[in-house]
């Protein structure tokens, strides 16, 4: 039985989706040591926590702040 290109494209896309989902969960995990089968990973999660913090943006007050603008859509 020959499978069509559409089937293999779907299988490939689903496989890539699963791999990306697993990688996303691994990144969000804040475990310092990960041990899977014969692979052991030790990482510095402090750097990742620092990078994941949202940046705060401060703006200076505008000159004509007391005027309100009205836009017609």
């Amino acid at each position: 039985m020959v499978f069509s290109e559409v089937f293999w494209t779907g299988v490939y896309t689903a496989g890539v989706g699963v791999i990306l989902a697993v990688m996303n969960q691994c990144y969000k995990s804040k475990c310092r040591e990960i041990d899977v089968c014969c692979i052991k990973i030790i990482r510095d999660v402090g750097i990742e926590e620092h990078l994941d913090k949202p940046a705060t943006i401060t703006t200076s007050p505008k000159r004509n702040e007391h005027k309100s603008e009205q836009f017609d859509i």
Side-chain angles (χ1 to χ4, degrees):
M1 182 176 190
V2 178
F3 292 106
S4 68
E5 292 84 16
V6 175
F7 171 76
W8 290 115
T9 302
V11 170
Y12 176 76
T13 305
V16 170
V18 167
I19 291 170
L20 290 175
V22 168
M23 289 174 59
N24 187 25
Q25 289 302 315
C26 288
Y27 178 76
K28 286 183 178 181
S29 170
K30 298 305 175 193
C31 297
R32 186 175 180 277
E33 294 183 20
I34 301 171
D35 189 9
V36 179
C37 297
C38 59
I39 301 172
K40 185 173 184 177
I41 301 171
I42 300 174
R43 63 185 189 159
D44 185 9
V45 294
I47 294 172
E48 293 176 8
E49 289 175 353
H50 175 71
L51 293 174
D52 287 343
K53 289 182 183 177
T56 56
I57 300 173
T58 57
T59 58
S60 60
K62 297 178 183 177
R63 286 189 190 179
N64 298 323
E65 197 171 30
H66 63 278
K67 293 181 180 179
S68 63
E69 295 182 10
Q70 195 172 27
F71 299 104
D72 293 329
I73 297 177

